[in-house]
């Protein structure tokens, strides 16, 4: 399941959102720090919106050009047969 | 239609679903059509990076010149206990070499040895068939095809989730589909003269990429198509913690299924094939062992030399590589012997009934990939082998139909009704509850004594529980598009569950993955037939269709694999 995206190093390219086959990651306007006090600025950054629907396919991690997405291999909430 | 916001797309051949079936259908339509033929391929996510195809190893059964095609056909038919379209399987095998050349022309590389010969591996449950494996696995396999389609001028539309098929003003044929952008919810209407549904079979989200489910077979059902093979399923050994793709490999190298007492149990259930039996037969043995109280069950890899285990870890496709690397030592201890395995339902084998030409009973509607009901059992390598084969045939048939297909004419009332139906569950106050209903559905369908060891009273009981869940489902709503898509998928699963249970009650014998405790023998006199289901006014109506046997006139017993003895000596069995 997707664990973390190191947003400080993120360029906002959106690849992780585009390749995710489970609609987990959405690019959304996020506030960014600005030098001038009171000036509000936003930038599109990836948000892990539906983590519970991650299928642990690693695509976001594989295709992120900055190598800043971390997916953990264990599959949570796997159904059992009995 | 001026009040409806959205896009109107006009095309000749519409392909729904961008996995191996849909990609090949689109290529074939473009290649067979006269210049200027408009081919449109849509997928709910990114074509070439989603679907089972993209995450598979993309091992593919290919018959090279000199291979015994009729022998392979025979063993596939036998391994299906007869439930296979012989014509379609045979044609797919005959065409497979030409498709291999197409793939190579797209820049794919298939493993070769020093002498330049293709590296080929046997596959579980078959003796003569050999698989080839493309470098980079499914991610490369699907992406290279996407690039090739772009180069050939196929229109690709990503993130378009199809929610209904249209019958148009004349009402006598399918004239395209409607759907929503799977992120924004924007409505789309696609007019087409031929529509190929290639959305894969329905899964119950039982882990890893089988969380991706197809809904097209049920859209086809609603549009009047007949479905078949609902009583058969793909139940596969899995672990609670992670997903290990490579069991076939491991067993070939000497791994063995053992129970809690350390006994290697497959031999007693499948004396001919032992651990090399294919998936449904392993699943049944696991369920029986569970009943005897012999669980937990393990995949014992101790017979596999250390360096070969490393090879497992390294020789995988990209996601597997990340997976193993991150698991680290856990991969070596847990995975190779210490993790309990169980059998989990992965998907139904229910698909759209078509002829060997991939045309359904509804004019204008065709099917490819696993959405088409060509086989009830596919073996590692023949899932994709058949998808490629039927995709090629479906694309050609769709183009042939263009000569006679009238220009589609939309029916405004129908489009409005489909629009309303698509959006009906949307309600900002809704709570996203489809997962809860799905979990209850899984509990019903995954129980060993429902999904694997079937009996009339238990199947009836399960039908009632599914019906209660379906009623409950009608009361829930979707607060956003993400949940709307999940809800449509869950709705398809609920309907599929009903069909699976109904068909399982209907077939009163045991065959393949369908094992009835109260009818535990295979009965070729009465049941060498397909079980078909179509809307009967008040739910599905089931019927039998005899299976033509043009090439294998009798279904001979499966032969013992010639390599089994060698494997057993490696494994020390
Ligand atoms: C991990 C794994 C490994 C495997 N390894 C192998 C192997 O080595 N060899 C082999 O032969 N088989 C293998 N298989 C099985 C094989 O991958 C599949 O059976 C095969 O790829 C199915 O192809 P398809 O075209 O029918 O479906 P898919 O590849 O699943 O494509 C269907 C597409 O339809 C789309 N879709 C569904 N519903 C809609 C809708 N309503 N609107 C729009 N789009 C929709 C989906 O997004 C999906 O992209 C493997 C499967 C898995 C999961
Ligand atoms: S691992 Fe796959 S499903 Fe999960 S967030 Fe990444 S791309 Fe999406
Ligand atoms: S792919 Fe990587 S760099 Fe691009 S938006 Fe996602 S996390 Fe940021």
């Amino acid at each position: 399941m997707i664990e973390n995206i190191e947003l400080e190093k993120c360029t906002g390219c959106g690849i992780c959102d585009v390749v995710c086959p489970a609609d987990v990651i959405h690019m959304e306007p996020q506030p960014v720090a600005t030098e001038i006090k009171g000036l509000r600025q936003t930038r599109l950054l990836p948000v892990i919106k539906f983590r519970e629907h991650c299928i642990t396919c690693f695509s976001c991690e594989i295709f992120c050009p900055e190598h800043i997405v971390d997916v953990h291999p264990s599959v949570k909430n796997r159904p059992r047969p009995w | 239609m001026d009040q409806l916001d959205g896009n109107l797309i006009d095309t000749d051949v519409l392909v729904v679903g961008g996995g191996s079936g849909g990609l090949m259908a689109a290529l074939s339509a473009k290649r067979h059509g006269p210049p200027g033929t408009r081919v449109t391929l849509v997928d709910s996510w990114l074509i070439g990076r989603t679907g089972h195809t993209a995450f598979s190893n993309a091992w593919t059964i290919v018959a090279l010149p000199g291979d015994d095609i009729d022998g392979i056909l025979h063993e596939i038919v036998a391994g299906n206990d007869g439930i296979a379209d012989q014509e379609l399987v045979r044609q797919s095998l005959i065409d497979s070499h030409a498709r291999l050349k197409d793939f190579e022309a797209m820049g794919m590389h298939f493993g070769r040895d020093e002498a330049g010969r293709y590296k080929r591996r046997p596959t579980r449950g078959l003796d003569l068939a050999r698989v080839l494996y493309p470098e980079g696995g499914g991610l490369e396999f699907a992406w290279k095809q996407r690039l090739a389609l772009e180069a050939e001028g196929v229109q690709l539309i990503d993130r378009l989730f199809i929610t209904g098929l249209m019958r148009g003003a004349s009402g006598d044929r399918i004239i395209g589909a409607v759907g929503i952008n799977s992120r924004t919810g924007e409505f789309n209407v696609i007019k087409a003269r031929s529509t190929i549904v290639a959305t894969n079979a329905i899964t119950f989200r039982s882990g890893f990429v089988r969380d991706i489910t197809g809904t097209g077979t049920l859209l086809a059902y609603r549009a009047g198509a007949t479905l078949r093979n609902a009583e058969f399923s793909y139940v596969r050994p899995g672990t609670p913690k992670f997903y290990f793709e490579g069991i076939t490999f491991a067993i070939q190298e000497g791994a063995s299924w053992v129970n809690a007492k350390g006994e290697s149990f497959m031999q007693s259930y499948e004396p001919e094939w032992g651990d090399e039996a294919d998936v449904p037969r392993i699943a049944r043995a696991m369920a029986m062992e569970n009943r005897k109280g012999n669980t937990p069950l393990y995949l014992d890899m101790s017979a596999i030399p250390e360096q070969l285990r490393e090879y497992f870890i390294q020789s995988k496709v990209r996601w597997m590589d990340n997976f193993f690397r991150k698991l680290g030592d856990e991969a070596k201890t847990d995975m190779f012997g210490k993790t309990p395995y169980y059998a989990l339902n992965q998907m139904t084998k229910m698909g759209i009934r078509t002829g060997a030409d991939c045309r359904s009973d509804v004019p204008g509607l065709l099917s490819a990939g696993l959405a088409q009901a060509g086989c009830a059992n596919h073996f590692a390598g023949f899932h994709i082998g058949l998808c490629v084969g039927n995709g090629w045939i479906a694309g050609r048939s769709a183009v042939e139909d263009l000569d006679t297909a009238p220009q589609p004419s939309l029916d405004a009332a129908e489009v409005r009704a489909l629009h309303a139906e698509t959006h009906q569950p949307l309600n900002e106050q809704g709570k996203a509850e489809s997962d809860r209903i799905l979990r209850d559905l899984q509990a019903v369908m995954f129980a060993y004594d429902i999904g694997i060891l079937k009996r009339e009273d238990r199947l009836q009981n399960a039908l009632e529980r599914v019906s209660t869940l379906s009623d409950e489902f009608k009361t829930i709503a979707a607060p956003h598009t993400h949940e709307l898509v999940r809800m449509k998928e869950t709705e398809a699963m609920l309907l599929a569950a009903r069909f699976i249970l109904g068909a399982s009650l209907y077939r009163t014998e045991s065959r393949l993955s369908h094992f009835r405790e109260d009818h535990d023998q295979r009965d070729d006199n009465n049941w060498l037939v397909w079980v078909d289901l179509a809307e009967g006014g008040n739910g599905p109506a089931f019927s039998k269709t005899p299976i033509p046997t043009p090439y294998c006139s009798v279904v001979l017993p499966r032969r013992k694999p010639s390599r089994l003895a060698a494997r057993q000596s490696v494994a020390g069995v």
Side-chain angles (χ1 to χ4, degrees):
Chain A
M1 186 168 291
I2 182 162
E3 293 293 326
N4 186 41
I5 302 177
E6 285 177 71
L7 287 181
E8 317 77 65
K9 299 186 193 154
C10 174
T11 63
C13 70
I15 290 175
C16 51
D17 173 346
V18 171
V19 297
C20 174
D23 196 35
V24 172
I25 305 173
H26 288 208
M27 297 301 287
E28 289 193 345
Q30 298 296 309
V32 285
T34 51
E35 281 166 24
I36 305 165
K37 224 177 142 198
L39 180 70
R40 296 241 312 249
Q41 226 179 312
T42 62
R43 186 154 80 92
L44 282 181
L45 285 173
V47 175
I48 303 173
K49 233 177 152 180
F50 299 102
R51 175 180 267 132
E52 70 279 18
H53 293 155
C54 171
I55 63 172
T56 318
C57 74
F58 291 93
S59 286
C60 50
E61 182 176 299
I62 290 171
F63 295 110
C64 168
E66 306 302 318
H67 310 290
I68 53 173
V69 185
D70 181 26
V71 178
H72 190 272
S74 75
V75 181
K76 303 227 170 71
N77 303 324
R78 224 176 151 195
R80 321 200 81 207
W82 55 83
Chain B
M1 218 102 48
D2 37 4
Q3 308 96 308
L4 292 185
D5 283 342
N7 301 314
L8 178 63
I9 298 155
D10 199 344
T11 190
D12 295 318
V13 178
L14 167 64
V15 184
V16 183
S20 45
L23 289 160
M24 187 46 76
L27 183 77
S28 165
K30 199 70 195 168
R31 295 252 171 105
H32 287 101
T37 306
R38 296 165 305 168
V39 179
T40 302
L41 173 62
V42 307
D43 195 288
S44 35
W45 303 107
L46 184 67
I47 297 165
R49 290 278 181 251
T50 182
H52 289 186
T53 306
F55 297 107
S56 74
N57 296 305
W59 288 14
T60 309
I61 289 181
V62 176
L64 295 180
D67 280 358
D68 174 8
I69 286 185
D70 284 314
I72 300 172
L73 169 72
H74 184 281
E75 63 179 8
I76 288 177
V77 170
N80 270 276
D81 285 356
I83 311 291
D85 183 330
Q86 298 188 5
E87 192 71 55
L88 183 64
V89 170
R90 186 166 182 272
Q91 197 56 49
S92 297
L93 292 169
I94 292 172
D95 291 346
S96 63
H97 185 240
R99 297 292 78 75
L100 172 66
K101 294 293 149 195
D102 286 339
F103 291 144
E104 287 180 332
M106 293 173 193
M108 285 183 214
H109 295 282
F110 291 78
R112 288 180 190 258
D113 63 17
E114 284 97 58
R117 286 182 305 251
Y118 290 112
K119 285 193 208 155
R120 311 176 78 190
R121 272 194 99 99
T123 182
R124 202 151 33 128
L126 297 175
D127 189 33
L128 298 171
R130 291 289 178 273
V131 294
L132 297 190
Y133 34 107
E135 284 166 20
L139 280 173
E140 283 299 297
F141 180 76
W143 193 252
K144 292 253 160 70
Q145 290 187 67
R146 178 190 171 111
L147 297 180
L149 291 179
E150 270 170 348
E152 301 216 13
V154 172
Q155 179 185 27
L156 302 177
I157 306 179
D158 300 308
R159 288 196 174 172
L160 180 48
F161 180 68
I162 296 300
T163 54
L165 300 173
M166 296 189 294
R167 299 201 71 132
S170 67
D172 56 1
R173 55 183 296 116
I174 296 299
I175 60 140
V178 302
I180 51 172
N181 179 294
S182 53
R183 175 60 60 77
T184 65
E186 187 185 32
F187 194 62
N188 284 264
V189 176
I190 311 169
K191 266 165 72 170
R193 292 198 288 154
S194 285
T195 301
I196 303 173
V197 170
T199 52
N200 204 342
I202 290 170
T203 76
F204 294 99
R205 299 201 209 283
S206 48
F208 187 48
V209 291
R210 282 168 175 111
D211 277 21
I212 299 175
T213 191
T215 59
T217 44
L218 289 169
L219 301 178
Y221 171 83
R222 290 209 173 119
T226 301
L227 305 184
R228 81 170 22 149
N229 289 344
E231 68 277 34
F232 300 111
S233 58
Y234 186 67
V235 184
R236 185 181 186 284
T239 68
K241 262 167 85 183
F242 39 69
Y243 187 93
F244 176 27
E245 185 59 42
I247 294 174
T248 308
F249 251 133
I251 289 176
Q252 281 170 9
E253 301 300 344
S256 185
W257 295 106
V258 294
N259 62 22
K261 300 173 182 160
E263 299 159 347
S264 185
F265 61 85
M266 275 312 296
Q267 219 70 44
S268 58
Y269 297 98
E270 302 291 335
E272 298 259 296
W273 290 76
D275 290 299
E276 280 224 53
D278 71 307
V279 180
R281 291 166 170 98
I282 295 174
R284 187 182 316 157
M286 291 176 112
M288 305 278 229
E289 283 296 294
N290 181 53
R291 204 172 255 187
K292 289 182 190 159
N294 288 345
T295 46
L297 309 172
Y298 303 95
L299 184 59
D300 175 8
M301 303 226 200
S302 54
I304 305 177
E306 196 70 37
Q307 67 276 21
L308 256 180
R309 297 187 210 178
E310 284 297 322
Y311 168 73
F312 279 123
I313 297 181
Q314 264 136 53
S315 69
K316 294 298 170 220
V317 294
R318 260 170 104 183
W319 68 263
M320 280 304 271
D321 198 58
N322 283 36
F323 172 87
F324 278 112
R325 209 161 18 77
K326 291 201 158 187
L327 269 180
D329 282 345
E330 217 181 320
K332 294 184 185 124
T333 54
D334 278 33
M335 180 149 272
F336 295 144
K338 294 214 174 57
T339 289
Y341 275 76
Y342 50 63
L344 208 56
N345 183 307
Q346 301 285 328
M347 63 201 305
T348 164
K349 285 290 171 189
M350 179 176 73
I352 298 169
R353 169 170 105 174
T354 74
D357 53 7
C358 294
R359 292 181 177 95
S360 79
D361 307 323
V362 184
L365 178 66
L366 303 94
S367 183
L370 254 60
Q372 191 271 347
C375 277
N377 187 20
H378 290 84
F379 309 97
F382 201 57
H383 289 91
I384 290 196
L386 189 63
C387 290
V388 168
N390 68 13
W392 183 255
I393 294 167
R396 185 176 55 211
S397 296
V399 162
E400 282 166 11
D401 289 354
L402 294 180
D403 290 340
T404 51
Q407 276 304 331
S409 151
L410 292 179
D411 173 4
E414 181 189 43
V415 174
R416 270 202 204 88
L418 286 169
H419 180 272
E421 185 191 290
T422 300
H423 292 98
Q424 186 273 327
L426 269 181
N427 177 348
E428 277 175 22
Q429 261 71 56
K431 282 218 305 272
E433 291 173 290
S434 65
D435 283 358
R436 180 175 54 80
I437 291 187
L438 173 65
R439 262 192 299 278
D440 290 347
L441 181 66
Q442 289 173 334
V444 178
M445 300 302 287
F446 291 175
Y448 279 168
D449 64 0
I450 305 273
I452 302 179
L453 309 174
K454 307 175 185 177
R455 201 176 69 193
E456 183 174 357
D457 53 342
R458 296 195 300 254
L459 291 169
Q460 288 288 9
N461 182 278
L463 255 181
E464 278 159 36
R465 289 165 69 194
V466 170
S467 152
T468 310
L469 286 174
S470 305
D471 289 342
E472 201 186 326
F473 182 81
K474 289 189 194 117
T475 65
I476 68 171
H480 37 60
T481 307
H482 176 89
E483 175 64 8
L484 182 65
V485 172
R486 304 269 306 179
M487 269 187 76
K488 299 274 172 202
E489 292 176 345
T490 310
E491 190 184 11
M493 294 172 202
L494 283 163
L495 206 53
R498 205 168 139 204
F499 295 170
I500 290 165
L501 296 168
S504 298
L505 280 162
Y506 186 79
R507 186 182 280 277
T508 49
E509 62 140 10
S510 288
R511 185 181 295 272
L512 209 63
S513 48
H514 171 71
F515 182 65
R516 283 279 299 257
E517 285 182 88
D518 42 356
H519 298 277
D520 62 356
Q521 297 300 311
R522 177 168 141 177
D523 173 5
D524 280 347
N525 289 333
N526 295 301
W527 288 104
L528 200 49
V529 297
W530 279 301
V531 170
D532 290 337
L533 68 106
E535 179 55 50
N538 194 19
F542 295 92
S543 61
K544 293 179 177 184
T545 305
I547 301 174
T549 50
Y551 301 104
C552 309
S553 52
V554 271
V555 181
L556 296 172
R558 317 177 67 210
R559 67 181 122 184
K560 191 179 164 80
S562 51
R563 65 180 185 281
L564 197 61
R567 194 197 73 78
Q568 283 172 348
S569 70
V570 173
V573 176

